[in-house]
Each structure stands twice: as structure tokens, then as C-alpha cells.
Amino acid sequence: WRRPGGSSSTRKSFLNEEEWEAVFQKLLEYKILHGDANVPQKYDKDGLSSFTQYMRFYYKVGKLSSDRIERLKIIGFSFNPNEDRWNCKFEELKRHKEMNGTCYVSKHEELGKWTRMQITAFRKGSLTEERKKRLDEIGFDIAHRKINKSNDDDSNKKVSPTEVWDAMFNKLLQFKKEHGNTLVPEFYPDDPAFALWIGSQRVKYHNGSLSREYADRLNDVGFDWKSAEMIDQEFLNL
């Protein structure tokens, strides 16, 4: 890699403390400017691209100190950006399934393009068994998925908004049964999509766009219309 401030290209097994700190500070500056610490491979300013690739390699082979690992993690550096991007899209697909009752996504949407990439990877034998298992567990039966127009038939269409609302309402009933209240926090790790739906009901209620029928059904089960901030505080105090 190219040493900061120098013109010669040298390769080193490890950087000494002073050199490492100098490039780390450049990485901090990069994050401030770009919003993340994941430098593209083609970005060669200050040797950051080479530096970040070496850090990932050293991490993979167990030659990166715990102190450096921690400092890189604190600024949001990803040691496996491809895996992180995959996990991000997978979580997006999970939320889509929870909100719509199906893993079908239009090929015209970014998420739909990603699902088709998974099908292609499976057919080429490049999709790992772990990823296939995770997709299967949420109902994305990848072995029987098709990329052609038959994937757009009626059996894969989205469920109706009414069916989605009823499914979420049933989750609320279950939540109340388990917790004795309807204080679903804004950030609910057990079911983020459910928390998102709860928040949308409060917003619609307060701006007058929630139907009378839905408002009545929620009132009948003692739904709490307070703001998300107040709900979160009450949930933490339980």
C-alpha cells in the first residue's frame, strides 16, 4: 500500500503504531465526509482503500489486535461489507413479508432485484447453505422460485391492505395477552415491522386519516394513543 505522505509503494505485513494511527485518522476524516467508514476499492486517496482491505484480511486471519478491531468497529467499519449488505437486504425482505404476508416483491423494486439475484446464485451453486436456510425459514422457497413471468401469477400477489391490518391487529391482541397492555415501543426488536405498524396507527389517528372502524377496534382493546416517546418510556419502566 502507499504510505501516507510518501510516494513509494511498499507492502508491509503490519503497520507500526504511528503509521496505523495516521491512516486511522484519515479514515475518520473519510467517515465525516462520506457518512461511513467503508471505503470503495477504487478510492485510492491517502491509501485508504489498501488500508481497509488489509484490515479485513488481518482480521480474517486473526492478526489484527483486539484494540484495533474495537476502534474500527466503533466508527462503523465493516470487516465483511458483502455479508453486511446481504444481511441488510434479508432484514428488509423479512419486514416486507411481515407487512405484506408474502415474500413476493416486484422485479421493478430494488428488493425484487435482490431476491432475483439470490435465485440466480442458488441456481449457479454459489448461494451458501446458511443463506438458503435463512431464506427458506421466512418462506422464500428458493428451490422452487422462478424468475420469469410466472413468478407474477395470482398466487404470489400481495395480500390486501385489510388482511395486513387484521394480521397486525391479531399481533396486538397477542402482545396485550402476554404483556397486559398495548404499550408497544417504537423500537421493538422482537418484531420491528409490528412496531412500525403500531406507530403508523398512532400517526394516522392523530392526523385524522385512520378510519373510524379501525380506530374503534383499537379503542375496544384499550389501545394507547400516546406519542411514541411516551410509550417507549412507559415500556422501559414496566
Side-chain angles (χ1 to χ4, degrees), residues 20 24 27-28 30-32 34-39 52 55-56 68-82 84-85:
W20 193 94
F24 180 76
L27 185 58
L28 280 175
Y30 177 92
K31 179 178 180 179
I32 293 171
H34 300 275
D36 63 61
N38 298 313
V39 181
T52 55
M55 292 306 103
R56 292 183 180 115
R68 291 179 178 178
I69 291 173
E70 185 64 24
R71 292 183 66 187
L72 287 165
K73 284 184 175 181
I74 287 174
I75 66 171
F77 179 76
S78 172
F79 287 99
N80 194 337
N82 290 333
D84 289 346
R85 282 191 291 269

Side-chain angles (χ1 to χ4, degrees), residues 131-192:
R131 289 182 177 182
K132 178 184 180 300
K133 181 180 178 182
R134 291 176 67 186
L135 288 166
D136 286 343
E137 285 175 348
I138 65 170
F140 190 86
D141 187 5
I142 199 165
H144 299 96
R145 288 272 166 173
K146 296 181 179 181
I147 301 178
N148 57 29
K149 291 182 179 180
S150 63
N151 197 36
D152 291 326
D153 62 22
D154 291 339
S155 64
N156 282 322
K157 292 297 183 183
K158 295 181 180 180
V159 295
S160 71
T162 300
E163 290 174 309
V164 172
W165 198 95
D166 287 339
M168 289 297 179
F169 182 74
N170 287 332
K171 285 190 175 186
L172 177 63
L173 294 178
Q174 184 62 34
F175 181 93
K176 183 177 181 181
K177 181 179 180 180
E178 294 178 2
H179 299 274
N181 58 61
T182 61
L183 300 175
V184 182
E186 183 179 11
F187 300 103
Y188 186 52
D190 291 350
D191 196 337

